[in-house]
Amino acid sequence: MAQVYDVIIIGSGPAGYTAAIYSARANLRTLVVQGEQFGGQLMLTTDVENYPGFENGIMGPDMMEIFERQARRFGPEMRAQNVTKIDFTRRPFAVTINDEPEPALGRALILATGASALWLGLPNEQRLNGKGVSACATCDGAFFRGRDLAVVGGGDTAMEEALFLTRYANHVTVLHRRDSFRASKIMQRRVLEHPKISVRWNVVVDDVLGEDRVTGVLLRDTVTGEPSTLDIGGLFIAIGHRPNTELFEGAIELDAQGYIKPVEHTMTNIPGVFAAGDVTDHRYRQAVTAAGSGCMAAIDAERWLEEQDAG
């Protein structure tokens, strides 16, 4: 017989783990389906220096290990597997994990699947992925010691990647398609003032060059259309994210960009289904706001379950 949980949390970033802490502490039988690559975007983040309580900063993966250990203290079941299907039409909701024949059943669901890095879609980008092309400086930066590198993007993520790579690189060039960054002012200043970083404004990357490894990029000036090449030994893509909502399409109401649209507080258009973290947030996308929304979703789920029991 399938197990019935009070709350099933799908996702294991700051939102998912915080929801697990609140849900399990409320004595709700809780299952966290972490995913095979758990920890969310913070697993790809370097120094986190703006999360309260870590006055000297902390590495993103280290923070996620602390979140997980804290959540486990309160006894939720955790499975490092992937959700492959959700049946929102039955009660309890049926959550299929790794295509197993017997789904897990949840009286309430918290969707905290986060967002994933975007790629440029270049002809040789995926062919050279892992051979000099990366979307994670934290994961791969140490392999590029002494090389000239490039980072594509103009937001905080791109600034963080560029600054982190200066620990290893000979030089870092930031490639941006506009003539100004959209990153926060403090991050812009750090990049623009760093002696090992230069910026190429108004350029797009048309292709990645190299046979067995990255040797350069083909650039195009967005103003004049003039092509050029830049010799580099590694290319890091930092152009944004897409919400991980494929499993929910057709059932959960999404906005034009694919993010979940809550209807009342954190509840979605389906009663008993709640959303938290970057999967529903395209404005702030911070660890602290994700954790806060995980708390909110767990409290909303607890109160909703109380109402169902009382009714």
Side-chain angles (χ1 to χ4, degrees):
M1 179 178 292
Q3 296 191 65
V4 179
Y5 299 88
D6 294 312
V7 179
I8 296 179
I9 299 165
I10 304 170
S12 57
Y17 283 140
T18 303
I21 291 169
Y22 275 80
S23 178
R25 284 186 76 250
N27 290 324
L28 297 174
R29 187 176 186 191
T30 303
L31 168 65
V32 183
V33 188
Q34 299 168 283
E36 292 177 355
Q37 295 182 331
F38 47 89
Q41 287 296 309
L42 277 181
M43 298 301 288
L44 310 179
T45 304
T46 55
D47 294 321
V48 180
E49 57 184 15
N50 55 3
Y51 197 99
F54 298 94
E55 59 179 320
N56 297 315
I58 185 172
M59 297 292 285
D62 294 338
M63 176 184 277
M64 285 299 90
E65 288 185 16
I66 293 171
F67 271 50
E68 181 181 2
R69 290 199 303 269
Q70 184 175 359
R72 285 187 181 276
R73 280 185 55 208
F74 302 105
E77 182 180 337
M78 293 195 183
R79 296 179 62 176
Q81 297 172 302
N82 293 324
V83 171
T84 51
K85 182 181 178 182
I86 304 174
D87 187 347
F88 293 102
T89 64
R90 58 182 285 189
R91 300 297 179 98
F93 303 106
V95 177
T96 301
I97 301 171
N98 278 11
D99 291 321
E100 295 173 357
E102 195 74 52
L105 303 180
R107 299 175 62 209
L109 303 181
I110 296 177
L111 311 179
T113 48
S116 299
L118 294 173
W119 296 92
L120 295 169
L122 304 174
N124 290 304
E125 183 179 46
Q126 293 307 313
R127 182 178 67 83
L128 291 169
N129 190 2
K131 300 177 181 178
V133 174
S134 173
C136 178
T138 312
C139 308
D140 302 326
F143 297 112
F144 293 85
R145 295 180 186 275
R147 301 187 194 179
D148 290 337
L149 306 176
V151 174
V152 182
D156 277 352
T157 299
M159 304 298 103
E160 290 176 3
E161 298 274 278
L163 289 165
F164 179 79
L165 289 170
T166 60
R167 303 180 185 188
Y168 308 105
N170 177 57
H171 186 79
V172 179
T173 303
V174 178
L175 307 172
H176 189 45
R177 60 183 176 176
R178 299 190 178 93
D179 60 3
S180 62
F181 291 134
R182 65 181 186 279
S184 59
K185 296 300 182 183
I186 186 171
M187 297 302 290
Q188 289 191 44
R189 187 173 71 248
R190 289 176 181 176
V191 164
L192 295 172
E193 293 178 354
H194 199 289
K196 293 178 70 174
I197 299 177
S198 60
V199 180
R200 290 281 299 271
W201 304 104
N202 298 316
V203 293
V204 293
V205 181
D206 279 343
D207 205 358
V208 189
L209 306 177
E211 291 300 321
D212 299 322
R213 63 179 181 84
V214 172
T215 59
V217 285
L218 177 62
L219 304 177
R220 175 169 44 86
D221 191 296
T222 59
V223 177
T224 66
E226 182 179 355
S228 62
T229 59
L230 176 67
D231 294 333
I232 55 171
L235 178 68
F236 289 79
I237 313 299
I239 58 171
H241 301 85
R242 60 170 177 77
N244 298 322
T245 52
E246 295 89 347
L247 275 174
F248 319 138
E249 291 176 357
I252 301 298
E253 186 175 351
L254 309 176
D255 67 14
Q257 297 169 305
Y259 290 86
I260 294 175
K261 292 176 62 176
V263 173
E264 181 179 358
H265 304 298
T266 64
M267 189 184 290
T268 69
N269 58 296
I270 298 179
V273 180
F274 305 83
D278 286 4
V279 75
T280 187
D281 174 22
H282 55 75
R283 180 177 177 86
Y284 300 105
R285 293 190 298 235
Q286 300 295 306
V288 67
T289 53
S293 69
C295 160
M296 294 160 60
I299 291 175
D300 287 345
E302 178 189 359
R303 291 176 178 173
W304 183 82
L305 288 169
E306 288 176 350
E307 291 172 1
Q308 305 310 300
D309 293 339

